[in-house]
Amino acid sequence: MLIGDMRPTTLDGVKSLAAQLRRDSGLKHSVALDLAARAANCANYTHARRLLPTKAPGKGKPYLLLTAYWMDRKKRYSRGRETIKIELSRPLLDICDKATLKQARGFGDLRMVAGDHFVCDTPAPTQETARNWLMSAERSLRFIERSGLIPTRDYRKAYPDGRDELRLPGQDHATDWVDPATGQFILVDEPYRGVPNEGERSAWEQKTGWRVIRTDWPGMYNPYACDLYVATDARGGYDLAALAQRISAMPPPLREEEWKGESADDWDTYLSPMARTPQD
């Protein structure tokens, strides 16, 4: 019943190994599935179904795994791992390159360790914090994927004519973006709901030539507690209304209380299906 170097990387591979174990050793089907799943670095077959792609990379649906480890000193130094799987419409690097993705909220402390896996090297102080970190990154990635915008470091463009005193009134939790199709700078502002003075913002639009629109999407920073606005220099004719409509039509973002990832009560290194060596 030795598995040796056999390490399935897909759910189909786990099933195939389980069938072999049943034939060779006469194991019960459920026992063989769990044993084959552990060979794929999963806790059991249920764990494998949640995290492994059905088919080999490139043949199945694109996905990304995000992992964070945590230790809670207030709970007798209990510790664990949180991993979430994100199914994508197309391969990650077709959506955004690694360097640019690092600028998005939630990805600053994540490191790409395999083609399908980002890991946070700093342990979170609680399980809840670890989940919050990963969900924040998940929302940012969803925003990039569906809005068509990518983050930018050119923060000076967030100020009309580069003048700090002309910043958007009442802006909070703002992030800087660009439309790669046109090169247009987009300010994404996420103030707490009901805080911005709409009269001041209207006057600001008249003064600067910028336009600001509140979308109906609950946002990335703190969904449902904040509103998400987009703003840009309208003097070049950019269709901000079309962008706002595209964002408003996006599916609701996931929140921490809707956690759908995997949780483990240990610090065993999680190896993703695309990991080639334990060092990954």
Side-chain angles (χ1 to χ4, degrees):
M1 194 167 61
L2 293 176
I3 296 177
D5 294 330
M6 299 183 67
R7 185 187 294 277
T9 59
T10 66
L11 197 59
D12 284 351
V14 169
K15 292 177 182 178
S16 178
L17 178 57
Q20 179 182 330
L21 292 172
R22 286 186 65 194
R23 290 193 303 269
D24 295 347
S25 305
L27 295 172
K28 290 177 59 177
H29 183 58
S30 59
V31 173
L33 284 172
D34 284 343
L35 187 59
R38 287 198 288 274
N41 296 303
C42 296
N44 49 44
Y45 182 64
T46 299
H47 182 200
R49 287 183 61 189
R50 292 178 179 175
L51 289 184
L52 295 183
T54 302
K55 300 183 183 297
K59 297 182 180 179
K61 189 172 183 179
Y63 70 94
L64 183 67
L65 296 161
L66 304 178
T67 291
Y69 297 87
W70 58 271
M71 174 181 283
D72 195 331
R73 291 179 171 82
K74 295 182 179 179
K75 294 183 178 179
R76 298 183 178 182
Y77 288 86
S78 59
R79 63 185 186 178
R81 170 185 57 79
E82 307 299 311
T83 299
I84 188 170
K85 180 180 180 181
I86 306 169
E87 292 191 347
L88 302 171
S89 60
R90 56 194 189 280
L92 173 66
L93 297 183
D94 289 349
I95 297 172
C96 186
D97 65 77
K98 290 189 295 182
T100 302
L101 189 60
K102 289 283 287 184
Q103 301 168 39
R105 179 179 285 127
F107 274 93
D109 293 325
L110 291 173
R111 177 171 57 90
M112 193 173 193
V113 296
D116 61 348
H117 194 198
F118 279 77
V119 173
C120 182
D121 291 319
T122 303
T126 66
Q127 182 182 42
E128 180 183 25
T129 302
R131 291 180 176 181
N132 287 346
W133 288 353
L134 299 184
M135 294 296 282
S136 177
E138 190 272 348
R139 291 193 293 267
S140 293
L141 180 56
R142 290 299 189 199
F143 183 80
I144 294 170
E145 178 186 33
R146 291 165 176 160
S147 72
L149 303 180
I150 59 173
T152 176
R153 294 179 183 227
D154 198 358
Y155 69 93
R156 292 302 306 175
K157 288 187 177 180
Y159 311 127
D161 300 325
R163 297 167 58 190
D164 180 77
E165 67 272 18
L166 292 180
R167 71 169 56 206
L168 176 66
Q171 77 175 48
D172 201 4
H173 316 123
T175 47
D176 305 323
W177 302 79
V178 67
D179 183 337
T182 64
Q184 183 78 18
F185 176 89
I186 308 292
L187 176 69
V188 173
D189 181 40
E190 298 187 69
Y192 287 105
R193 182 158 293 178
V195 170
N197 184 311
E198 299 300 337
E200 288 183 357
R201 292 197 163 193
S202 179
W204 176 82
E205 288 179 306
Q206 294 295 321
K207 181 177 181 179
T208 63
W210 279 49
R211 189 179 181 195
V212 56
I213 300 177
R214 182 178 67 82
T215 73
D216 293 329
W217 195 61
M220 293 176 282
Y221 175 74
N222 192 350
Y224 301 98
C226 297
D227 286 322
L228 188 145
Y229 292 78
V230 288
T232 196
D233 189 338
R235 291 171 289 188
Y238 183 80
D239 193 347
L240 189 65
L243 172 64
Q245 289 177 358
R246 189 161 68 246
I247 294 172
S248 294
M250 289 165 44
L254 291 178
R255 294 176 291 174
E256 286 72 20
E257 55 266 35
E258 300 165 324
W259 173 255
K260 296 182 180 179
E262 277 292 325
S263 301
D265 58 359
D266 56 51
W267 272 9
D268 287 348
T269 301
Y270 173 74
L271 297 180
S272 71
M274 290 188 189
R276 296 180 179 180
T277 69
Q279 283 76 19
D280 290 342

